[in-house]
Amino acid sequence: MALHPAAGASSPCSIAPWLSVRNGARAVDFYKSAFGATEVFRLDAGGVVARLSVDGAEFWLGDESPEHGNFSPESLGGGSVRMVLTVADPDAVFARALTAGASKVVPVREEHGWRFGRLVDPFGHHWEIGRPLVA
């Protein structure tokens, strides 16, 4: 399926997840510390909405707003999406995230042609941090 040429002429097509969290300001600080994220955009008006980038890979986050159908994993008792963050050194990024406050679910290991580990951030989102073994 191709977009109509005029529909996105000035922007490339992309898909970026939007994470609903409790305490968006604290979440922004966590992702900066854990993954080296930078703020591309931030709005603090009745809650935080932020667009973050980890070496060019972007995602959004916002304070949960049940009135709009946006619930955090904390409110739902878990999430339905797992984030995959592909990085050059998964061991270092995994360790950095643990130091920043994430919890280990699966330690970094080699399996299925990948070196990866799985953790859960303080807001209930699960992340697989890894890289393919053969580029």
Side-chain angles (χ1 to χ4, degrees):
M1 175 180 143
L3 293 177
H4 185 277
S10 63
S11 312
C13 182
S14 68
I15 295 175
W18 184 304
L19 307 179
S20 292
V21 297
R22 289 185 187 167
N23 196 337
R26 192 168 65 94
V28 169
D29 291 341
F30 170 79
Y31 295 122
K32 286 178 170 181
S33 178
F35 303 141
T38 57
E39 286 183 44
V40 176
F41 170 86
R42 181 166 174 163
L43 177 64
D44 290 290
V48 170
V49 170
R51 180 175 164 195
L52 303 175
S53 175
V54 179
D55 290 333
E58 293 186 349
F59 66 101
W60 291 77
L61 73 84
D63 282 301
E64 70 178 341
S65 56
E67 66 276 16
H68 299 108
N70 300 322
F71 299 95
S72 73
E74 292 171 292
S75 292
L76 297 174
S80 64
V81 175
R82 197 176 322 168
M83 306 295 293
V84 177
L85 179 59
T86 305
V87 296
D89 187 351
D91 295 88
V93 173
F94 195 89
R96 183 175 172 176
L98 294 177
T99 299
S103 299
K104 177 174 48 178
V105 176
V106 176
V108 177
R109 64 182 194 265
E110 292 183 6
E111 190 174 309
H112 307 296
W114 279 72
R115 177 152 188 82
F116 74 97
R118 181 173 166 194
L119 53 82
V120 60
D121 69 31
F123 312 95
H125 294 285
H126 284 246
W127 295 79
E128 289 200 13
I129 315 269
R131 68 170 172 79
L133 292 173
V134 178

